Amino acid sequence: MKILMISATFPYPPTRGGTPIRTFNLLRYLSQRHPVTLVTQRSEDVSDQEVEELRQYVDQLVIFPRPHSDQTQAGTWAKIKRFGEFVLEGTPPSVRSIYSPAMQDWIDQWVNSGYCEAITCEHSVNEIFVRQAWKQQLKTVVDVHSSIYGTCRQQLETHTAEKPLRDRLNLPLLHRYEKRYCSKFSLIVATTVEDRHQLQAFNPEATFEIIPNGVDLDQFPLRTQDPGGHRLIFVGTMDYIANIDAARYFSLEIFPQLRERYGEAKLVLAGARPVPEVSELSKIPGIEVTGRVPSMAEYLHQATVCIVPMRIGFGIKNKTLEAMAAGVPVVASNSGLEGLAVDGANVPLRALRANTTEEYIAAISQLFEDAQLRQKLSENGRNLIESEYTWERVGQRYEQVLSF
């Protein structure tokens, strides 16, 4: 099967997090069994060495420069112009910003020449390069990652939107946009049941598959010992709104109360590109903001408990899977545990659930004081990842949906 993968995000190295992790690992699995052509874009922070390393994993690598975006232009007129284009064209500015006419021409010629039997869009923004008519002649798949309409609505409902007025204006337009692009594909892939429900409302007749994220067990080995103590960790890229909100929520509302109970408690906020709103949290006694770290697994292994206090965002969370793979007990919100069976009837206890300040303090205190419970969550969490969430298993499922 000849596969064309479209990813405006350069998917290497996978340590960049988020979209690159999923795209690279799916690409790596498929390329071992099928000829894969990857068409992508290169931003200024991508090195020549990274390009050459990625080239080893594909049959053909086609790279276009990242288009210059007017997204950063400030001023009332620039904002009105972007909104007007959204209304008239039906495509969000964040999606239009990746559009490259040269890249579109290359994809058109590749498809029209019959060089591929299946197209995958790795993240929904890449739908902009796919023609409606192609669904009639080959398999077209969009790997959504998460619903942008659902995320926008959730941020408004939880009062976590950065720009509420803008988002309220955009919400009906995003609804129209997702409904339109969902109709272009022969298959839509979501990472969780919850995200599928978001998307299914747009096109009930569409074919959906749920394919979660995975973990590279070589990069996240099981820790060899429980460090004990009162050390917490939260991981993620720290310029992403959902992670910024989670870091600030826990640091400002929960951690000070834990610190009153456990005077030596420490919270590590580990992840690349911390914005000022995150960096300033290091002024709070007991909190360390690391920036990019050489090995996230090593930082996880040093933690007593990993917290995932997400309040917004859909889809399965890499940070939760990686902590469980590393054998670190997890305390997480419903959002942080989305898509995972970790508690309830006939389910081994694999993580503790918390959604309020009181629940976080109770769950974390319980783990601080109970080594046997920490060991139980460590073993059960690792067993879940080994049985259900390796990239090998995820890749197999992705290959299956492309083949039928």
Side-chain angles (χ1 to χ4, degrees), residues 153-381:
R153 186 181 68 180
Q154 184 188 60
Q155 290 174 2
L156 287 169
E157 291 173 350
T158 57
H159 307 289
T160 54
E162 288 183 288
K163 299 178 179 178
L165 177 58
R166 178 203 64 185
D167 289 351
R168 281 194 290 270
L169 292 172
N170 283 344
L171 194 62
L173 300 177
L174 290 172
H175 186 282
R176 181 184 67 178
Y177 164 70
E178 287 206 337
K179 183 175 183 179
R180 174 174 60 81
Y181 91 66
C182 281
S183 69
K184 292 167 57 173
F185 293 89
S186 47
L187 181 75
I188 300 170
V189 172
T191 62
T192 66
V193 172
E194 292 84 352
D195 216 23
R196 182 187 67 186
H197 289 161
Q198 292 285 337
L199 296 162
Q200 208 159 24
F202 300 121
N203 191 350
E205 304 303 317
T207 302
F208 288 85
E209 289 288 342
I210 298 173
I211 301 178
N213 286 339
V215 181
D216 185 332
L217 298 184
D218 292 331
Q219 290 186 8
F220 291 91
L222 179 65
R223 69 184 186 185
T224 57
Q225 64 180 10
D226 178 355
H230 304 128
R231 184 182 175 97
L232 302 169
I233 190 169
F234 172 64
V235 306
T237 51
M238 295 298 172
D239 60 353
Y240 173 48
I241 182 174
N243 290 338
I244 297 169
D245 175 74
R248 290 186 60 82
Y249 163 62
F250 191 89
S251 298
L252 298 172
E253 299 189 26
I254 301 171
F255 184 70
Q257 296 186 48
L258 273 170
R259 183 94 167 170
E260 290 178 4
R261 184 177 298 188
Y262 303 96
E264 299 302 314
K266 185 171 184 178
L267 169 60
V268 177
L269 304 175
R273 303 187 297 277
V275 296
E277 298 97 310
V278 173
S279 295
E280 68 183 15
L281 296 173
S282 62
K283 298 176 183 178
I284 299 173
I287 296 182
E288 176 188 359
V289 179
T290 69
R292 182 180 294 276
V293 299
S295 170
M296 191 61 74
E298 290 182 9
Y299 271 76
L300 284 167
H301 289 167
Q302 295 168 15
T304 319
V305 176
C306 177
I307 55 164
V308 191
M310 313 300 290
R311 300 194 295 178
I312 54 178
F314 289 94
I316 202 162
K317 308 301 185 293
N318 285 324
K319 56 176 62 66
T320 307
L321 298 177
E322 290 166 357
M324 296 173 80
V328 184
V330 171
V331 175
S333 64
N334 289 341
S335 177
L337 295 172
E338 183 179 330
L340 301 174
V342 300
D343 52 13
N346 302 317
V347 176
L349 186 63
R350 295 159 171 154
L352 298 187
R353 192 179 300 269
N355 291 289
T356 66
T357 298
E358 294 74 21
E359 289 172 348
Y360 276 109
I361 292 173
I364 293 168
S365 297
Q366 188 179 8
L367 284 169
F368 277 172
E369 298 170 14
D370 190 339
Q372 289 186 337
L373 179 59
R374 293 199 301 271
Q375 183 64 23
K376 180 179 181 180
L377 296 190
S378 176
E379 293 175 354
N380 290 347

Side-chain angles (χ1 to χ4, degrees), residues 29-44:
Y29 181 87
L30 291 174
S31 65
Q32 294 170 359
R33 295 155 179 81
H34 307 276
V36 175
T37 297
L38 173 67
V39 57
T40 187
Q41 295 178 357
R42 179 178 180 176
S43 54
E44 293 179 355

Side-chain angles (χ1 to χ4, degrees), residues 110-124:
W110 191 259
V111 173
N112 293 334
S113 299
Y115 292 144
C116 61
E117 298 164 293
I119 296 175
T120 74
C121 287
E122 301 306 324
H123 198 291
S124 61

Side-chain angles (χ1 to χ4, degrees), residues 38-53:
L38 173 67
V39 57
T40 187
Q41 295 178 357
R42 179 178 180 176
S43 54
E44 293 179 355
D45 62 340
V46 175
S47 69
D48 291 342
Q49 180 180 345
E50 289 168 345
V51 169
E52 292 310 310
E53 289 174 356

